[in-house]
Amino acid sequence: MIVADRRSVLTAMGALGLIGCAPQAAPADAPTPVAPEPFDLSALEADNGGRIGFVAHDLASGRRLTARGDERFVYCSTFKMYLSAATLMRVQAGQERLDRAIPVTPADMVSHAPVTEPAVGSSLSVERLMQAVVEVSDNPGANLLLKALGGLEAMRAFHRGIGDDSTMVDRFEPEMNRLDGIKDTITPARSVANLHRLFIDPTSPLSADSKTMLLGWMFTSPTGGDRLKAGVPADWRVAHKTGTGGYGPTNDIGILYPPSGEPVIVAAYYHATGETSDSQNAAVIAQATRMALARFGRA
């Protein structure tokens, strides 16, 4: 059982709306995924430059659209969602506690520390650090959680444990954002499969409480409103995690929930040329998302 007090669980559930209304795993008789369909985004690439890796899995029909789905992209801060999932699994196993205080020191500080920098000289709970890395992508918080997890090897073991035999885990923040061969890379197809394994698969290693907590942070994250969120109809809800390299990589992964019916899982990795603005890069992801939903007949 996950070690969490009642207030923590109810707070997380509240982030999703009324208690008991959190998105649930797809039923066992959901459509079986069919062979991936090529998704031609070459015109979008030609108009904007760069390389777009995009996979969308429609759980209503089982269809999957893929553009450069098996190519590698540096994942940047999208990994923080997986880091929190790995941490929650340790909490479930009794190897970690949500309320355990982790000291925050000046030596921990690296760029982008909106939550940890004000806490230097004190401590933050494991739960607060997870919330910080998922909602606002706090970099020192990610490093602190990685170390608490057992380091890079433990993060690799998490990926292998959920059936992911290809994602690379090589460096801490912020070095992991720098292009260096295949270090710290993932494929869009693998990311969609991982999201399905964690949040949709009835045999997910995450407990119901863990999924509720993690999805709550993904829903309420204020980042990336111009990426996946901008590509869905106004009445859809998006649980997601962004990642940005600062020199072109612009990513967003998540689950798109319509008002009713089954959701769509999306992994979007756009490596722009570096000559475009952040808003232009985000617009590419939003447009690819709109195109995918139209292809599914769900726009």
Side-chain angles (χ1 to χ4, degrees), residues 150-236:
L152 299 174
E153 184 56 42
M155 193 66 207
R156 291 187 203 104
F158 160 79
H159 279 285
R160 305 305 176 251
I162 62 171
D164 177 352
D165 61 358
S166 62
T167 296
M168 303 297 294
V169 179
D170 302 283
R171 296 166 294 182
F172 284 82
E173 287 281 15
E175 290 78 12
M176 67 169 56
N177 300 289
R178 178 171 47 85
L179 282 177
D180 185 2
I182 65 171
K183 288 182 179 179
D184 300 299
T185 58
I186 195 169
T187 69
R190 186 66 257 173
S191 196
V192 164
N194 289 348
L195 287 166
H196 187 279
R197 177 77 179 96
L198 291 171
F199 294 109
I200 305 299
D201 190 333
T203 64
S204 167
L206 289 178
S207 70
D209 286 347
S210 291
K211 284 189 283 188
T212 295
M213 187 171 289
L214 185 49
L215 282 170
W217 297 324
M218 294 167 69
F219 274 120
T220 58
S221 172
T223 67
D226 51 0
R227 301 183 193 184
L228 290 181
K229 285 183 176 180
V232 302
D235 55 353
W236 287 45

Side-chain angles (χ1 to χ4, degrees), residues 250-294:
T250 305
N251 310 325
D252 204 1
I253 64 173
I255 307 176
L256 320 180
Y257 290 93
S260 62
E262 299 299 331
V264 177
I265 306 174
V266 173
Y269 298 89
Y270 176 41
H271 195 158
T273 61
E275 300 172 356
T276 51
S277 67
D278 290 345
S279 61
Q280 288 174 301
N281 297 342
V284 170
I285 290 178
Q287 179 60 16
T289 304
R290 283 190 288 269
M291 291 169 64
L293 292 182

Side-chain angles (χ1 to χ4, degrees), residues 38-276:
F39 187 41
D40 186 4
L41 295 178
S42 59
L44 199 57
E45 290 178 330
D47 289 343
N48 295 276
R51 186 169 62 104
I52 307 168
F54 188 97
V55 171
H57 181 185
D58 178 16
L59 297 180
S61 64
R63 295 172 62 192
R64 283 176 292 161
L65 304 179
T66 179
R68 301 186 187 274
D70 293 321
E71 295 185 21
R72 288 187 173 274
F73 293 81
V74 62
Y75 44 67
C76 302
S77 289
T78 60
F79 99 96
K80 291 167 180 165
M81 186 281 295
Y82 293 122
L83 171 61
S84 294
T87 301
L88 286 166
M89 286 169 59
R90 293 191 74 237
V91 172
Q92 293 170 194
Q95 300 167 340
E96 182 58 276
R97 296 196 333 268
L98 292 175
D99 62 354
R100 183 171 74 87
I102 295 182
V104 182
T105 72
D108 297 317
M109 288 301 99
V110 295
S111 62
H112 193 65
V115 174
T116 51
E117 187 171 23
V120 168
S122 59
S123 62
L124 293 170
S125 70
V126 168
E127 181 177 356
R128 183 68 182 101
L129 286 170
M130 286 191 292
Q131 181 183 14
V133 303
V134 175
E135 287 189 345
V136 294
S137 220
D138 191 287
N139 282 339
N143 288 342
L144 289 169
L145 286 175
L146 267 173
K147 292 172 184 176
L149 187 70
L152 299 174
E153 184 56 42
M155 193 66 207
R156 291 187 203 104
F158 160 79
H159 279 285
R160 305 305 176 251
I162 62 171
D164 177 352
D165 61 358
S166 62
T167 296
M168 303 297 294
V169 179
D170 302 283
R171 296 166 294 182
F172 284 82
E173 287 281 15
E175 290 78 12
M176 67 169 56
N177 300 289
R178 178 171 47 85
L179 282 177
D180 185 2
I182 65 171
K183 288 182 179 179
D184 300 299
T185 58
I186 195 169
T187 69
R190 186 66 257 173
S191 196
V192 164
N194 289 348
L195 287 166
H196 187 279
R197 177 77 179 96
L198 291 171
F199 294 109
I200 305 299
D201 190 333
T203 64
S204 167
L206 289 178
S207 70
D209 286 347
S210 291
K211 284 189 283 188
T212 295
M213 187 171 289
L214 185 49
L215 282 170
W217 297 324
M218 294 167 69
F219 274 120
T220 58
S221 172
T223 67
D226 51 0
R227 301 183 193 184
L228 290 181
K229 285 183 176 180
V232 302
D235 55 353
W236 287 45
R237 301 166 66 215
V238 177
H240 72 125
K241 181 69 192 82
T242 58
T244 309
Y247 57 95
T250 305
N251 310 325
D252 204 1
I253 64 173
I255 307 176
L256 320 180
Y257 290 93
S260 62
E262 299 299 331
V264 177
I265 306 174
V266 173
Y269 298 89
Y270 176 41
H271 195 158
T273 61
E275 300 172 356
T276 51

